[in-house]
Amino acid sequence: MAVKPTGVQTNQGHAATDDFITRTYVLPLITDKATRERLTAEHRDNPVGKPGKAGKAGVPHSDDLARVIDKLRRAPMAGKYVRICVVLHRDYRIGIAAGVRGKPVTILPERYPSEDACEHAIFVRRVSDLLAAYGHKGR
């Protein structure tokens, strides 16, 4: 007789907490079209955050955008989008991680001219995938 895995073994506590946080704090930000467009525009202008330098303060993300990005970063590695540099400063692509150490990343054909453009394309894909996972239509 096979032993059924426990809730701890299947990480049910984390999954339930993450689902609650997503439904309560993240989905309202990305299901509202105006808010999603505002956050998407903010991300396009500042995809990775700008650190302070030469005595000037950095430019962090807004609390709402930081909340969405934090959720997207918590996704499992299998199937996660990653930035791939093919030719430095000229050719960046989106890769899809296998989630298994040593397995190759699948590289998508679309090319992006900068790290920022690629990071933003990843953000848009992740938001769309998150909406789909919770039964909402994206853009």
Side-chain angles (χ1 to χ4, degrees):
M1 181 167 109
V3 176
K4 183 178 176 184
T6 67
V8 171
Q9 291 169 323
T10 59
N11 209 13
Q12 286 179 356
H14 170 75
T17 301
D18 186 62
D19 180 63
F20 173 80
I21 291 169
T22 301
R23 290 178 187 278
T24 306
Y25 301 107
V26 178
L27 282 180
L29 296 172
I30 60 175
T31 54
D32 177 71
K33 185 177 181 189
T35 304
R36 184 176 65 243
E37 288 174 355
R38 176 179 56 83
L39 295 177
T40 301
E42 178 187 348
H43 189 273
R44 184 183 320 103
D45 294 341
N46 185 13
V48 294
K50 292 187 169 75
K53 64 180 181 179
K56 295 183 181 177
V59 181
H61 292 130
S62 67
D63 288 343
D64 287 345
L65 181 56
R67 187 171 291 118
V68 172
I69 290 172
D70 286 347
K71 164 57 186 168
L72 299 176
R73 287 179 178 152
R74 287 194 304 269
M77 278 308 293
K80 194 174 219 178
Y81 300 117
V82 296
R83 183 183 69 223
I84 305 291
C85 176
V86 178
V87 178
L88 191 60
H89 305 298
R90 289 196 324 219
D91 184 4
Y92 296 88
R93 302 202 194 156
I94 297 174
I96 302 174
V100 177
R101 186 180 296 229
K103 294 269 183 171
V105 171
T106 302
I107 301 175
L108 301 179
E110 297 92 355
R111 297 170 187 257
Y112 300 93
S114 68
E115 291 180 7
D116 285 355
C118 189
E119 285 294 335
H120 183 65
I122 289 170
F123 173 80
V124 170
R125 282 177 178 258
R126 286 180 176 172
V127 167
S128 180
D129 289 354
L130 181 61
L131 285 168
Y134 278 86
H136 297 276
K137 292 184 180 181
R139 298 192 173 274

